[in-house]
Amino acid sequence: MRYLGRYDVLAIAARVLRCDSDDVVRRSNLDAIDRVLDGVRLTGGLAESAGVLLAGLVRARPFGGANRVVAVAVVLQFVTLNRAELQLEPVADVDDLLDRIASDDAGYHEAAAFIRSRLEHHPVAAEDLQERLRVELVLDEEALTFDLVQDWWRGDPMYEQFSEPARHVIVLAQEEARSLDHVYVGTEHLLLGLITLGQGVASRVLADLGITAPAVRDLVVEIIGRGRSGAAAGTIPFTPRAKSTFEFAWGEARARGAEQVGPEHLLLGVLHDGDGVGGQIVTKLAESTDEVRRKLEERMNWRRRSEDLVAGMLAEDPANTWTTYGRRHHLLAELNAVLEENERLHEQVAALRDLLRRHNIDPDS
């Protein structure tokens, strides 16, 4: 299921109301929009989700006088993004449903039943996915006109909290998209960026599980196909799923007390979105996303305990009053380098022991 976000809804409202982004933000009840969208994500099935979306927007009236028109437009966009079509004829039946929802004579169950009876699902082939993504990106580019989000990539507090390796992953993801002639950066490109980074917990976990860049690229081409040559010139926008991955990673970093978003948090974001192309590829190449997540959590926890130990020693020792904030970060960076080297040595030793066993040599003898 592909979901709309707050700014997707605002972009649709701006188009329907023929106003600029600042005006639609001032005229809209953002909290009401968020509550409706949260309810949609708790619902299963396209008709049910669309019913919750329609009933919620009609009742909450976040867009004032033209609320009903915007609500229908939002539902139509939601259905389209999920590879289906909603028939509105005869319009009188739609008006009757909206009247009953507004007067509390009908709820989301009735809205879902109405939508289900008029919903036409369209099977999608691999060659259709590029066009579907272009539909998403048209909407996403309009969402980027909002002052609240247009600068997130450069200067937004969330991006400023990305570590250098995490920023490098994003740059590598853009390069992967260009190499495939794709006009967007999606979760599949982020996965490739994490692999080609070649260092850190996330890259190491993927490598240990045999998830390699060539294998991922082959599946990307199989699932989506290559783009038109030269189509990826200039700035490449992020898909809504990719930006949701960034937001999830940011939330994971804060929840875990991390000072910055690292590649490991980005990988957690890719794994969280199992319906995204990146998540689907991980599922194909690994036993399960849960297994990947478990191994990643183990490595992250081990790394965090080591860092906490050093940080605690620096904080508790009165003799270390000279240790400034910058010096602490420098020492932790040195610790990370040592831990990285230790992990590499561990892996080399494990590979050597495995090689000896395959040759009937006891590595402990």
Side-chain angles (χ1 to χ4, degrees):
M1 181 80 70
R2 309 184 77 84
Y3 295 103
L4 296 173
R6 173 201 285 184
Y7 300 110
D8 300 320
V9 172
L10 288 172
I12 296 167
R15 293 164 67 186
V16 172
L17 301 175
R18 297 183 179 180
C19 61
D20 59 31
S21 57
D22 290 340
D23 191 26
V24 79
V25 168
R26 284 194 298 269
R27 293 166 59 179
S28 304
N29 184 334
L30 303 184
D31 289 337
I33 294 172
D34 289 342
R35 285 194 296 272
V36 172
L37 295 179
D38 287 343
V40 172
R41 289 180 177 274
L42 296 175
T43 311
L46 180 56
E48 288 73 15
S49 296
V52 170
L53 184 61
L54 181 62
L57 291 177
V58 170
R59 286 183 174 174
R61 295 183 59 81
F63 302 109
N67 187 76
R68 284 165 59 140
V69 178
V70 175
V72 172
V74 170
V75 170
L76 287 173
Q77 182 65 64
F78 175 62
V79 167
T80 299
L81 288 179
N82 284 283
R83 306 184 299 279
E85 185 176 346
L86 183 61
Q87 299 297 327
L88 295 181
E89 298 291 341
V91 176
D93 291 347
V94 179
D95 284 335
D96 178 65
L97 173 66
L98 297 178
D99 287 339
R100 289 189 292 117
I101 292 174
S103 62
D104 286 337
D105 291 330
Y108 78 88
H109 289 296
E110 290 81 1
F114 179 88
I115 290 170
R116 188 181 298 107
S117 67
R118 293 165 174 250
L119 203 59
E120 294 182 6
H121 293 272
H122 299 305
V124 61
E127 57 269 22
D128 298 325
L129 290 178
Q130 278 277 48
E131 182 58 32
R132 190 187 79 193
L133 285 165
R134 284 193 177 89
V135 171
E136 289 184 349
L137 291 171
V138 167
L139 177 61
D140 201 42
E141 286 172 0
E142 295 203 26
L144 285 172
T145 63
F146 290 96
D147 293 337
L148 294 173
V149 296
Q150 64 181 350
D151 294 327
W152 90 264
W153 167 239
R154 302 289 183 188
D156 184 273
M158 179 171 69
Y159 178 74
E160 292 301 319
Q161 294 301 316
F162 277 35
S163 67
E164 283 303 320
R167 297 184 190 197
H168 193 197
V169 168
I170 296 174
V171 172
L172 291 171
Q174 291 175 316
E175 293 175 358
E176 291 288 344
R178 285 192 177 91
S179 71
L180 292 166
D181 294 316
H182 289 166
V183 296
Y184 60 90
V185 176
T187 56
E188 61 275 26
H189 306 111
L190 291 176
L191 178 61
L192 282 167
L194 287 163
I195 295 169
T196 55
L197 180 66
Q199 62 178 3
V201 172
S203 295
R204 211 166 297 284
V205 166
L206 292 170
D208 288 349
L209 292 169
I211 301 176
T212 65
V216 172
R217 290 190 193 102
D218 287 346
L219 281 173
V220 170
V221 173
E222 177 185 324
I223 295 171
I224 297 176
R226 299 187 66 93
R228 291 181 293 103
S229 180
T235 302
I236 305 179
F238 298 97
T239 64
R241 284 187 180 275
K243 291 203 291 184
S244 293
T245 297
F246 297 143
E247 293 169 359
F248 183 85
W250 193 32
E252 281 292 302
R254 287 186 298 171
R256 295 164 186 271
E259 295 178 348
Q260 290 186 308
V261 176
E264 61 274 18
H265 304 116
L266 291 175
L267 180 53
L268 285 172
V270 172
L271 297 175
H272 176 72
D273 186 3
D275 291 333
V277 177
Q280 292 178 39
I281 289 174
V282 171
T283 301
K284 284 178 175 289
L285 295 178
E287 294 179 13
S288 69
T289 54
D290 289 339
E291 177 66 10
V292 180
R293 188 179 295 107
R294 184 187 66 79
K295 289 183 178 295
L296 179 61
E297 294 274 5
E298 286 179 355
R299 294 243 184 171
M300 289 173 66
N301 291 338
W302 178 76
R303 175 64 63 86
R304 187 176 66 250
R305 286 195 298 271
S306 300
E307 291 180 349
D308 289 347
L309 177 62
V310 173
M313 290 171 62
L314 293 175
E316 293 172 6
D317 188 351
N320 283 331
T321 54
W322 55 269
T323 307
T324 63
Y325 180 81
R327 175 61 178 161
R328 174 176 175 273
H329 274 264
H330 177 69
L331 291 173
L332 289 177
E334 291 179 344
L335 171 66
N336 279 331
V338 172
L339 292 174
E340 290 281 353
E341 182 61 27
N342 186 46
E343 286 185 24
R344 280 193 290 271
L345 290 173
H346 252 305
E347 290 165 3
Q348 290 171 5
V349 170
L352 178 58
R353 290 171 64 87
D354 185 57
L355 180 63
L356 290 172
R357 289 193 188 95
R358 287 203 301 270
H359 288 82
N360 298 315
I361 300 174
D362 184 358
D364 299 315
S365 61

